[in-house]
Amino acid sequence: MDEQLFFKKLNSLCTSKEIFDFLSSLEVMSDTMASGALQRISEVEVDDNGLKNPDGVLENEVFRALCFQFEFESSKLSNTGLLNALQALIKLRIDPQSTLMASLLSEGEERLGKGQLTVENLCALGESLLELECPSCATLGQIVNHMQEKDIEKWSPREMAVVYKMLQVTVREGEQCQDLLDRMNGVTLTIVSQLNPKFTSIILNSLVVLHQTRAVPLVTALCRHSVKHIPYFTGDELVNVLEAFLYFGHREQMFTEALETHVPETIFTMHPQTVSKVMQYCCRKMILSKPIFDAVAEAFISNADGFTTDQIAEYIVPFGTLNYLPPSAPSLFRKLETVLCTRFRHFQPHTLLNLLHSCVLIQRYPVNFLPKIFSPYFLQQLQAQPPGLDRIVTSQLTRIFLTVTLECPFYEGPKLLSKYQVKAFLMPHSTLDVHLLKRVKTGLLYLLKKRIYFSSEVSTPYFYTVDIEIKLDEEGFVLPATQSEEVHSRIALCVDGQNRFCVNSHNLLGEEAIKQRHLQLLGYEVVQIPFFEVESLQNCRKMAEYLHKKIFPHTYGLSC
């Protein structure tokens, strides 16, 4: 039969039985046709769980006859027939140690050594080796060396992606290929628009694994190109892309918008690990996307029983970090409490602490679990596992303890011993905007006339640092900052720069929101000075007028 007609007929068949019946009707076929038949069988019979009908395929007489010929006539095969058969048999999960596979692999490596393989053949052999659990690094290195001798500018997108994948293995084994990578990065930049979702994901993942931090133009182009592929990425491919965004510190508004469309539409069919990575991306980039968070909350309520403990934490922690309660919050936290009750002992100590700490940030109090969290046994477990009781961990414990003390006066269980408490909270997301603080201090000096009437970055006995503190007597007059007698009230000015808010939002991050809540409960009059209210104020007088209205709203305006 003519090869073109053969492949047209073959590709119309949808089961292995149909394929075997068709092959039985032929008297003669080329090795290319036979290897194509094996490939078609692998396409229809293999899914994510492996071979659907092992006995029906592997014990079939036609299949066994094909394998016999490939094993004992491997030296007579064309390059295409040999390598297509090898790829198909790997996909069909044929034992790599079998004589059939050993024969095909040996023949492929022999032709590689003789320089008989084209670029397309080299990539096909490389792909086959990468599919094996323990690929031969020496052979992959040989393939890469042969590829270097070819004209990179003529490589197809598939060939480029395969070489990137091979380099992940060979470089990990100590091979130095930066010159080749620089050339590949330059050429790939010119073909980004031709890359399909699979190749886009492979190359981004390779750039992460190979630490290509200098390839900024390529990374930027790939990240932008990935936007149009979001609906078409598999779960694993999307995870690779998100990891690249995180690794290279890239943020793309259109990418977030595409996720906001895609995630709510597919949330109930997405793998939990993919959703976890989406939430990690939003959390690390401080992106509060209500469409994504609302959809994730609904998925958690429905499916949390099937999640791993790490996935449970990865779904929930961003809600606290970014200070957001979805419309389904009551059901969400009821479900979380149920899951915690049944699986509490399965959580790793640090995972559990992160989870409960995020809950208190948004006023969801894990009172039923606090006796276990504050117990000596749990604290010993924290200390025994990395990162131990470092500053971040003790800050989380202290913040939970302070929250319970201030917001849950009915709690009568064990307390956190003072040796586990920090003297001041570490607030990595909420570092002070020095430029904004300077502008506010200048305005206050204009308003209060003397610098003695306020102090900045004031440590309190309650673990928090106040950006600016003003003391008042009983009649509401401002007292010198150093005076400690006759102080009737204290005003805490929270000078909130952009880094205390979610990106492109007026929503305070969780750690800053809880700080302002606690300062109020501790007796301070909290006055928020957010960046977006003062960035348009042009001069010192305007700033002073603004501060007067914010701090002393019931007194007359400036007299000068």
Side-chain angles (χ1 to χ4, degrees), residues 152 254 263 357:
I152 294 179
M254 289 175 65
V263 172
H357 174 259

PDB file of all heavy atoms in Angstrom, residues 152 254 263 357:
ATOM      1  N   ILE A 152      22.116  26.433  14.500  1.00  0.00           N
ATOM      2  CA  ILE A 152      21.035  26.632  15.473  1.00  0.00           C
ATOM      3  C   ILE A 152      19.875  27.423  14.879  1.00  0.00           C
ATOM      4  O   ILE A 152      18.706  27.181  15.193  1.00  0.00           O
ATOM      5  CB  ILE A 152      21.578  27.344  16.743  1.00  0.00           C
ATOM      6  CG1 ILE A 152      22.563  26.433  17.470  1.00  0.00           C
ATOM      7  CG2 ILE A 152      20.442  27.739  17.690  1.00  0.00           C
ATOM      8  CD1 ILE A 152      23.168  27.039  18.716  1.00  0.00           C
ATOM      9  N   MET A 254      -1.569  41.464  32.022  1.00  0.00           N
ATOM     10  CA  MET A 254      -2.412  40.691  31.105  1.00  0.00           C
ATOM     11  C   MET A 254      -2.412  39.205  31.462  1.00  0.00           C
ATOM     12  O   MET A 254      -3.413  38.508  31.258  1.00  0.00           O
ATOM     13  CB  MET A 254      -1.938  40.891  29.661  1.00  0.00           C
ATOM     14  CG  MET A 254      -2.236  42.280  29.114  1.00  0.00           C
ATOM     15  SD  MET A 254      -1.551  42.520  27.467  1.00  0.00           S
ATOM     16  CE  MET A 254      -2.506  41.335  26.532  1.00  0.00           C
ATOM     17  N   VAL A 263      -9.137  30.507  35.537  1.00  0.00           N
ATOM     18  CA  VAL A 263      -9.236  29.734  36.786  1.00  0.00           C
ATOM     19  C   VAL A 263     -10.694  29.531  37.221  1.00  0.00           C
ATOM     20  O   VAL A 263     -11.099  28.389  37.497  1.00  0.00           O
ATOM     21  CB  VAL A 263      -8.393  30.377  37.909  1.00  0.00           C
ATOM     22  CG1 VAL A 263      -8.647  29.683  39.248  1.00  0.00           C
ATOM     23  CG2 VAL A 263      -6.911  30.309  37.553  1.00  0.00           C
ATOM     24  N   HIS A 357      -1.735  30.922  61.625  1.00  0.00           N
ATOM     25  CA  HIS A 357      -1.330  32.332  61.664  1.00  0.00           C
ATOM     26  C   HIS A 357      -2.100  33.127  60.608  1.00  0.00           C
ATOM     27  O   HIS A 357      -2.560  34.246  60.863  1.00  0.00           O
ATOM     28  CB  HIS A 357       0.178  32.443  61.426  1.00  0.00           C
ATOM     29  CG  HIS A 357       0.666  33.853  61.306  1.00  0.00           C
ATOM     30  ND1 HIS A 357       0.945  34.452  60.098  1.00  0.00           N
ATOM     31  CD2 HIS A 357       0.908  34.807  62.251  1.00  0.00           C
ATOM     32  CE1 HIS A 357       1.330  35.695  60.300  1.00  0.00           C
ATOM     33  NE2 HIS A 357       1.331  35.935  61.593  1.00  0.00           N
TER      34      HIS A 357
END
